[in-house]
């Protein structure tokens, strides 16, 4: 078979995608998330086009769906949501809550860049602090992350020190993890160690409230934590909605409760359910649909004279089971 070559007509028509994104993140992304990522790359120089409402119109999707897609990339350290600092926001921003996106790019450092950073007293102190944290000299990749956290995300030395201590407590000493946490804190508007501490306490409270709702009394495993993070960050569900899904899960099964609850929350997310009121409406709609559908006879007419069917029939309510699985 002959090799096939693709030739682009102009370099100006090219949008570059980092290899690490293709290798590590793209396999996890769904169709809309991929579309949003490519759109943002294509229009990153035009802040007006990087509004949630503009993207929702372009893809004919809801703003909530676009927000969840953007959140997927933000949680993986690709993009960062930026808040408008103008004292008088536009009418559109007031009405929709739309905030423009900025795309801080982790700097690629040359040897000269590293020498210049090392000569900077404040950055040199942060390097020493970070090396004490990881237990070895920083690699070029570590320095890029450190520069990104301090220069692009504007972490103070106090906040960086708290960040490193927090990651140590999680038994995570690689800068890939440190950078991911820094991006998450930045997106939440955290600028001081006290704010980070309060956020951490609220996060732990949410985690354990979900664990209790599922009948778990132990600390969450990494896999269980990933499920809970998905429900909050990707599905963007409130705690009361998650706990309702957990309640239904506990009533339905003793096994694989996280997987079962995830099916419920995924279906609710796809249906636009965001509150307890939305759940009540969805339940009501399902009940009306169920009662309006023609019901089949529980036993065929020929069963009375069929000796193979003369036994006690199962009283399992399969419609109820279907409702639990589809709700």
């Amino acid at each position: 078979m002959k090799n096939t070559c693709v030739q682009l007509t102009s370099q100006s028509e090219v949008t570059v995608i980092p290899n690490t994104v293709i290798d590590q993140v793209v396999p996890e992304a769904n169709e809309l998330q991929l579309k949003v990522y490519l759109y943002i790359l294509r229009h990153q120089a035009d802040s007006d086009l990087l509004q949630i409402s503009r993207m929702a119109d372009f893809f004919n999707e809801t703003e909530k769906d676009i927000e969840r897609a953007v959140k997927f990339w933000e949680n993986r350290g690709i993009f960062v949501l930026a808040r408008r600092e103008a004292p008088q926001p536009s009418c559109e921003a007031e009405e929709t809550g739309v905030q423009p996106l900025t795309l801080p790019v982790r700097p690629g450092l040359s040897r000269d860049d590293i020498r210049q950073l090392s000569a900077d007293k404040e950055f040199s102190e942060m390097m020493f602090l970070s090396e004490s944290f990881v237990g070895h000299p920083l690699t070029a990749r570590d320095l890029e992350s450190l520069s990104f956290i301090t220069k692009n995300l504007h972490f103070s030395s106090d906040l960086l020190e708290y960040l490193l201590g927090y990651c140590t407590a999680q038994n995570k000493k690689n800068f890939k993890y440190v950078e991911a946490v820094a991006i998450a804190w930045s997106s939440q508007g955290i600028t001081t160690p006290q704010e980070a501490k309060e956020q951490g306490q609220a996060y732990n409270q949410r985690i354990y409230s979900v664990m209790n709702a599922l009948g778990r009394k132990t600390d969450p495993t990494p896999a269980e934590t990933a499920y809970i993070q998905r429900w909050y960050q990707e599905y963007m569900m409130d705690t009361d909605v998650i706990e309702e899904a957990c309640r239904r899960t506990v009533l339905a099964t003793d096994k694989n409760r996280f997987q079962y609850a995830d099916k419920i929350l995924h279906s609710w997310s796809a249906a636009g359910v965001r509150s307890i009121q939305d759940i009540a409406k969805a339940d009501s709609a399902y009940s009306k649909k169920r009662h309006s559908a023609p019901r089949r006879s529980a036993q065929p007419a020929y069963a009375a004279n069929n000796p193979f069917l003369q036994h006690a029939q199962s009283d399992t309510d399969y419609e109820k089971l279907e409702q639990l699985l589809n709700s």
Side-chain angles (χ1 to χ4, degrees):
M1 180 181 294
K2 294 182 179 180
N3 293 329
T4 301
C5 297
V6 177
Q7 183 174 1
L8 298 170
T9 58
S10 171
Q11 289 298 319
S12 63
E13 297 177 1
V14 173
T15 297
V16 178
I17 302 176
N19 289 335
T20 54
V21 173
I22 297 174
D23 295 340
Q24 300 175 16
V25 186
V26 166
E28 303 176 13
N30 62 31
E31 181 180 354
L32 180 58
Q33 290 161 351
L34 287 173
K35 288 181 178 179
V36 167
Y37 175 66
L38 294 174
Y39 178 95
I40 292 175
L41 283 184
R42 170 67 178 85
H43 299 290
Q44 57 184 306
D46 191 340
S47 60
D48 288 338
L49 292 176
L50 293 178
Q51 292 186 351
I52 299 297
S53 61
R54 297 291 292 271
M55 287 190 279
D57 291 340
F58 183 84
F59 291 113
N60 194 26
E61 299 281 355
T62 67
E63 292 185 11
K64 283 292 186 182
D65 288 334
I66 298 298
E67 287 179 10
R68 284 194 294 274
V70 171
K71 196 73 174 178
F72 170 85
W73 296 104
E74 182 187 12
N75 290 337
R76 285 153 181 80
I78 308 302
F79 304 135
V80 176
L81 281 170
R83 291 169 174 77
R84 188 185 298 274
E85 297 181 356
Q88 297 294 332
S90 65
C91 294
E92 181 182 11
E94 289 179 349
E95 293 174 358
T96 65
V98 172
Q99 297 174 341
L101 290 164
T102 58
L103 310 174
V105 178
R106 189 191 320 109
L109 302 179
S110 66
R111 291 183 180 180
D112 289 338
D113 293 331
I114 293 175
R115 281 195 291 268
Q116 291 178 3
L117 286 172
S118 300
D120 181 273
K121 181 179 179 181
E122 183 177 0
F123 190 84
S124 180
E125 291 175 352
M126 291 185 175
M127 284 177 58
F128 177 79
L129 178 65
S130 301
E131 288 173 347
S132 300
F133 158 74
V134 298
H136 58 75
L138 300 185
T139 65
R141 174 63 175 77
D142 295 341
L143 287 172
E144 288 179 356
S145 290
L146 181 59
S147 177
F148 175 75
I149 292 169
T150 57
K151 305 297 184 182
N152 295 75
L153 301 184
H154 310 291
F155 271 46
S156 66
S157 57
D158 289 342
L159 184 56
L160 175 66
E161 183 175 2
Y162 186 87
L163 170 65
L164 295 173
Y166 171 85
C167 293
T168 300
Q170 307 299 317
N171 293 320
K172 302 288 188 179
K173 288 194 173 185
N174 64 80
F175 257 86
K176 183 178 180 180
Y177 182 87
V178 174
E179 183 181 325
V181 175
I183 290 171
W185 287 4
S186 177
S187 69
Q188 295 161 9
I190 293 174
T191 59
T192 66
Q194 181 60 31
E195 290 174 348
K197 182 178 180 181
E198 291 172 356
Q199 188 274 346
Q201 291 172 342
Y203 171 80
N204 289 333
Q205 184 177 358
R206 293 195 307 180
I207 290 286
Y208 284 99
S209 69
V210 173
M211 292 292 290
N212 289 333
L214 284 173
R216 300 296 180 87
K217 303 302 181 183
T218 59
D219 291 336
T221 65
E224 291 170 344
T225 301
Y227 271 114
I228 298 173
Q229 289 175 335
R230 179 189 303 168
W231 300 341
Y232 279 111
Q233 299 174 3
E234 184 175 338
Y235 298 166
M236 298 182 70
M237 295 295 186
D238 292 333
T239 299
D240 56 350
V241 174
I242 295 175
E243 289 182 349
E244 174 61 18
C246 294
R247 184 187 70 80
R248 298 185 181 203
T249 297
V250 170
L251 291 174
T253 182
D254 291 327
K255 298 180 180 180
N256 302 319
R257 286 183 172 176
F258 276 90
Q259 295 90 329
Y260 195 99
D262 186 66
K263 288 182 180 294
I264 294 175
L265 290 165
H266 182 270
S267 65
W268 284 353
S269 177
V273 172
R274 294 290 176 270
S275 66
I276 294 295
Q277 292 76 16
D278 291 339
I279 296 174
K281 292 178 183 177
D283 287 346
S284 176
Y286 182 88
S287 179
K288 290 179 181 178
K289 179 180 177 181
R290 174 186 174 188
H291 289 298
S292 63
R295 299 183 64 87
R296 294 180 298 178
S297 175
Q299 191 177 55
Y302 60 80
N305 298 322
N306 190 329
F308 294 102
L309 295 178
Q310 300 305 310
H311 57 81
Q313 299 297 308
S314 170
D315 60 355
T316 301
D317 189 342
Y318 288 101
E319 290 186 347
K320 183 176 181 181
L321 286 178
E322 181 183 3
Q323 179 183 4
L324 286 170
L325 288 172
N326 294 331
S327 61

